[in-house]
Short mmCIF file of all heavy atoms in Angstrom, two decimals:
data_model
loop_
_atom_site.label_atom_id
_atom_site.label_comp_id
_atom_site.label_asym_id
_atom_site.label_seq_id
_atom_site.Cartn_x
_atom_site.Cartn_y
_atom_site.Cartn_z
N LYS K 1 80.94 76.99 89.88
CA LYS K 1 79.94 76.45 88.95
C LYS K 1 80.25 76.89 87.53
O LYS K 1 80.14 76.10 86.56
CB LYS K 1 78.56 76.91 89.36
CG LYS K 1 77.45 76.34 88.50
CD LYS K 1 76.09 76.81 89.03
CE LYS K 1 74.96 76.25 88.16
NZ LYS K 1 73.63 76.70 88.63
N HIS K 2 80.65 78.15 87.38
CA HIS K 2 80.95 78.66 86.04
C HIS K 2 82.16 77.94 85.43
O HIS K 2 82.15 77.54 84.25
CB HIS K 2 81.23 80.17 86.13
CG HIS K 2 81.69 80.76 84.84
ND1 HIS K 2 80.87 80.90 83.74
CD2 HIS K 2 82.93 81.23 84.45
CE1 HIS K 2 81.54 81.42 82.75
NE2 HIS K 2 82.82 81.65 83.18
N ILE K 3 83.21 77.76 86.27
CA ILE K 3 84.40 77.07 85.77
C ILE K 3 84.09 75.62 85.41
O ILE K 3 84.56 75.10 84.38
CB ILE K 3 85.53 77.15 86.81
CG1 ILE K 3 85.99 78.62 86.98
CG2 ILE K 3 86.70 76.27 86.42
CD1 ILE K 3 87.00 78.81 88.08
N SER K 4 83.28 74.98 86.25
CA SER K 4 82.90 73.58 85.96
C SER K 4 82.12 73.49 84.66
O SER K 4 82.31 72.55 83.86
CB SER K 4 82.06 73.02 87.12
OG SER K 4 82.79 73.04 88.31
N THR K 5 81.24 74.46 84.44
CA THR K 5 80.46 74.47 83.20
C THR K 5 81.37 74.66 81.98
O THR K 5 81.20 73.99 80.95
CB THR K 5 79.41 75.60 83.24
OG1 THR K 5 78.55 75.40 84.36
CG2 THR K 5 78.58 75.60 81.97
N VAL K 6 82.34 75.57 82.12
CA VAL K 6 83.29 75.79 81.01
C VAL K 6 84.06 74.53 80.71
O VAL K 6 84.22 74.13 79.54
CB VAL K 6 84.23 76.96 81.35
CG1 VAL K 6 85.37 77.04 80.32
CG2 VAL K 6 83.46 78.27 81.40
N ILE K 7 84.58 73.90 81.76
CA ILE K 7 85.36 72.66 81.56
C ILE K 7 84.50 71.59 80.91
O ILE K 7 84.94 70.88 79.98
CB ILE K 7 85.94 72.17 82.90
CG1 ILE K 7 86.98 73.18 83.42
CG2 ILE K 7 86.56 70.79 82.75
CD1 ILE K 7 87.52 72.83 84.80
N ASN K 8 83.27 71.44 81.36
CA ASN K 8 82.36 70.43 80.82
C ASN K 8 82.04 70.70 79.35
O ASN K 8 82.10 69.80 78.50
CB ASN K 8 81.09 70.39 81.66
CG ASN K 8 80.15 69.28 81.20
OD1 ASN K 8 80.50 68.10 81.20
ND2 ASN K 8 78.94 69.67 80.80
N ASP K 9 81.72 71.97 79.03
CA ASP K 9 81.37 72.31 77.64
C ASP K 9 82.56 72.13 76.70
O ASP K 9 82.42 71.60 75.59
CB ASP K 9 80.87 73.76 77.57
CG ASP K 9 79.51 73.93 78.25
OD1 ASP K 9 78.83 72.91 78.48
OD2 ASP K 9 79.14 75.10 78.55
N GLU K 10 83.72 72.61 77.15
CA GLU K 10 84.91 72.49 76.30
C GLU K 10 85.34 71.04 76.14
O GLU K 10 85.86 70.65 75.08
CB GLU K 10 86.05 73.34 76.86
CG GLU K 10 85.81 74.85 76.82
CD GLU K 10 85.56 75.36 75.42
OE1 GLU K 10 86.22 74.86 74.47
OE2 GLU K 10 84.70 76.24 75.25
N THR K 11 85.14 70.24 77.17
CA THR K 11 85.46 68.81 77.05
C THR K 11 84.56 68.13 76.03
O THR K 11 85.01 67.30 75.22
CB THR K 11 85.33 68.12 78.42
OG1 THR K 11 86.20 68.75 79.36
CG2 THR K 11 85.69 66.65 78.32
N LYS K 12 83.24 68.50 76.10
CA LYS K 12 82.30 67.95 75.11
C LYS K 12 82.70 68.38 73.70
O LYS K 12 82.64 67.60 72.75
CB LYS K 12 80.88 68.40 75.43
CG LYS K 12 80.27 67.73 76.64
CD LYS K 12 78.84 68.21 76.85
CE LYS K 12 78.21 67.50 78.06
NZ LYS K 12 76.81 67.98 78.27
N ARG K 13 83.07 69.66 73.58
CA ARG K 13 83.47 70.19 72.26
C ARG K 13 84.71 69.46 71.76
O ARG K 13 84.80 69.10 70.57
CB ARG K 13 83.74 71.68 72.38
CG ARG K 13 84.15 72.35 71.07
CD ARG K 13 84.41 73.83 71.31
NE ARG K 13 84.92 74.45 70.10
CZ ARG K 13 85.33 75.71 70.03
NH1 ARG K 13 85.30 76.47 71.15
NH2 ARG K 13 85.78 76.22 68.91
N LEU K 14 85.67 69.23 72.65
CA LEU K 14 86.89 68.51 72.26
C LEU K 14 86.56 67.07 71.88
O LEU K 14 87.11 66.54 70.90
CB LEU K 14 87.89 68.55 73.41
CG LEU K 14 89.28 67.98 73.12
CD1 LEU K 14 89.94 68.72 71.99
CD2 LEU K 14 90.15 68.03 74.39
N GLY K 15 85.66 66.44 72.65
CA GLY K 15 85.26 65.08 72.32
C GLY K 15 84.56 65.00 70.98
O GLY K 15 84.75 64.05 70.20
N PHE K 16 83.74 66.01 70.66
CA PHE K 16 83.05 66.05 69.37
C PHE K 16 84.05 66.17 68.22
O PHE K 16 83.90 65.51 67.18
CB PHE K 16 82.07 67.24 69.37
CG PHE K 16 81.33 67.40 68.07
CD1 PHE K 16 80.29 66.55 67.73
CD2 PHE K 16 81.69 68.41 67.17
CE1 PHE K 16 79.61 66.71 66.53
CE2 PHE K 16 81.02 68.56 65.98
CZ PHE K 16 79.98 67.71 65.65
N GLN K 17 85.09 67.01 68.40
CA GLN K 17 86.10 67.15 67.36
C GLN K 17 86.88 65.86 67.18
O GLN K 17 87.23 65.49 66.05
CB GLN K 17 87.05 68.30 67.72
CG GLN K 17 86.39 69.67 67.87
CD GLN K 17 85.72 70.14 66.59
OE1 GLN K 17 85.96 69.60 65.52
NE2 GLN K 17 84.87 71.15 66.71
N VAL K 18 87.16 65.16 68.29
CA VAL K 18 87.85 63.87 68.19
C VAL K 18 87.00 62.87 67.41
O VAL K 18 87.51 62.10 66.58
CB VAL K 18 88.20 63.33 69.59
CG1 VAL K 18 88.73 61.90 69.51
CG2 VAL K 18 89.22 64.23 70.27
N ASP K 19 85.68 62.86 67.66
CA ASP K 19 84.79 61.97 66.91
C ASP K 19 84.83 62.28 65.42
O ASP K 19 84.79 61.37 64.57
CB ASP K 19 83.36 62.10 67.42
CG ASP K 19 83.18 61.50 68.81
OD1 ASP K 19 84.02 60.64 69.18
OD2 ASP K 19 82.23 61.88 69.52
N LYS K 20 84.92 63.56 65.08
CA LYS K 20 85.01 63.94 63.67
C LYS K 20 86.28 63.38 63.03
O LYS K 20 86.26 62.88 61.90
CB LYS K 20 85.02 65.47 63.56
CG LYS K 20 83.68 66.14 63.78
CD LYS K 20 82.81 65.97 62.56
CE LYS K 20 81.54 66.80 62.68
NZ LYS K 20 80.68 66.67 61.49
N VAL K 21 87.38 63.46 63.77
CA VAL K 21 88.64 62.94 63.24
C VAL K 21 88.58 61.43 63.09
O VAL K 21 89.08 60.85 62.11
CB VAL K 21 89.81 63.35 64.15
CG1 VAL K 21 91.11 62.73 63.67
CG2 VAL K 21 89.95 64.87 64.19
N LEU K 22 87.94 60.76 64.07
CA LEU K 22 87.85 59.30 64.01
C LEU K 22 86.99 58.81 62.84
O LEU K 22 87.08 57.66 62.43
CB LEU K 22 87.28 58.76 65.33
CG LEU K 22 88.20 58.90 66.55
CD1 LEU K 22 87.48 58.41 67.81
CD2 LEU K 22 89.49 58.13 66.35
N GLN K 23 86.16 59.72 62.31
CA GLN K 23 85.35 59.33 61.15
C GLN K 23 86.24 59.03 59.94
O GLN K 23 85.83 58.32 59.02
CB GLN K 23 84.37 60.45 60.79
CG GLN K 23 83.21 60.58 61.77
CD GLN K 23 82.30 61.75 61.40
OE1 GLN K 23 82.54 62.45 60.43
NE2 GLN K 23 81.26 61.94 62.19
N MET K 24 87.45 59.56 59.95
CA MET K 24 88.37 59.30 58.84
C MET K 24 88.64 57.81 58.68
O MET K 24 88.83 57.31 57.56
CB MET K 24 89.70 60.03 59.07
CG MET K 24 89.62 61.54 58.96
SD MET K 24 91.23 62.29 59.26
CE MET K 24 92.20 61.52 57.98
N ALA K 25 88.68 57.08 59.78
CA ALA K 25 88.99 55.65 59.72
C ALA K 25 87.94 54.89 58.92
O ALA K 25 88.23 53.84 58.34
CB ALA K 25 89.09 55.08 61.13
N MET K 26 86.73 55.43 58.89
CA MET K 26 85.65 54.73 58.19
C MET K 26 85.86 54.75 56.68
O MET K 26 85.39 53.88 55.96
CB MET K 26 84.30 55.37 58.53
CG MET K 26 84.00 55.38 60.02
SD MET K 26 82.27 55.77 60.34
CE MET K 26 81.47 54.38 59.61
#
């Protein structure tokens, strides 16, 4: 459960950073 939570949180964090980078296109 702990590992799954870490993977889920870090994936969300990585996705958030990708969204920030994609804002450049705007």
Side-chain angles (χ1 to χ4, degrees):
K1 183 178 180 181
H2 174 70
I3 294 174
S4 299
T5 301
V6 170
I7 294 175
N8 184 59
D9 291 343
E10 293 302 322
T11 302
K12 287 182 178 180
R13 181 181 175 185
L14 187 59
F16 178 76
Q17 300 298 346
V18 171
D19 289 339
K20 285 284 188 179
V21 176
L22 291 176
Q23 287 177 0
M24 291 180 59
M26 303 193 64

